[in-house]
Amino acid sequence: MKKILILLLIFIFVLTGCGMDKIGYGEKLQSVANEMLEGAVDIEELLNQYSRIWSFSIENRAAIPVNSMMDHMGFDKEVIEEYFPINAAGNLSNDFSTNIYSLQTYYEGTGKLDEIRNETEKIKNKVSELNNPPPNYEKAYDELLDMYTFYEEFKEMALEPKESMKSFNEKKNSISSDILSKYKRIDTLIP
């Protein structure tokens, strides 16, 4: 009788433990999705700044006064002087590629791009840890993988902005929408 009772207790403990693992898995999966969404918001802020400087540079048909760039981008004069080339007349170029590169250099110099790289690496590791999901989490995990793919594309756009302004903005908006869509699907698929 004691053996049966002990076996029954072990069986109950194993079942309870498995149930906690499944609950824990869902919480971990949701946590990773939340982190990706938060990271995507940060990346989108950078991408929006690239778009702003791109558009502002194209709209200005002549050299851009430092004060105009400060007002438009919200930077201090010291930031402009440190990261943007200023000509002999004290103005910035209206060449969008030069200004985008300068903005990228600013993000590199302030560590913002390293933060994005590091966060992406952490998220990649967390996604890998969720490999082999329990059967009732497989669809949510597949959506998480898709979300991660879009997140990676977003990261690459922040690290290396290229293409035309129109295609850059279209791609940015499309990926942003895809990330949000995958996040919502994950939220509905987690039991």
Side-chain angles (χ1 to χ4, degrees), residues 23 78 102 105 167:
I23 292 169
E78 294 78 26
S102 296
T105 303
S167 63

Side-chain angles (χ1 to χ4, degrees), residues 37-148:
L37 187 63
E38 290 170 16
V41 168
D42 292 341
I43 292 170
E44 190 167 25
E45 288 177 19
L46 266 66
L47 298 180
N48 288 337
Q49 285 287 77
Y50 285 134
S51 293
R52 288 183 67 198
I53 203 165
W54 205 325
S55 175
F56 186 65
S57 298
I58 290 171
E59 290 168 2
N60 284 278
R61 300 191 186 270
I64 303 169
V66 170
N67 287 341
S68 293
M69 184 64 83
M70 288 169 48
D71 291 343
H72 189 74
M73 296 304 294
F75 290 140
D76 295 332
K77 185 175 183 178
E78 294 78 26
V79 169
I80 300 291
E81 290 173 344
E82 182 176 349
Y83 292 99
F84 291 79
I86 299 174
N87 65 22
N91 297 314
L92 293 123
S93 169
N94 69 328
D95 176 57
F96 67 85
S97 61
T98 299
N99 291 333
I100 290 169
Y101 177 76
S102 296
L103 184 59
Q104 184 180 15
T105 303
Y106 165 73
Y107 287 135
E108 196 69 66
T110 59
K112 190 66 176 167
L113 296 182
D114 280 338
E115 286 175 26
I116 290 171
R117 286 182 192 101
N118 293 338
E119 188 61 29
T120 303
E121 189 62 30
K122 288 178 190 174
I123 288 172
K124 176 184 173 186
N125 292 335
K126 290 178 181 182
V127 169
S128 294
E129 289 173 8
L130 293 171
N131 201 3
N132 300 319
N136 52 338
Y137 289 97
E138 287 174 351
K139 289 181 182 178
Y141 178 74
D142 290 343
E143 295 292 331
L144 185 77
L145 288 177
D146 290 344
M147 185 179 178
Y148 177 74

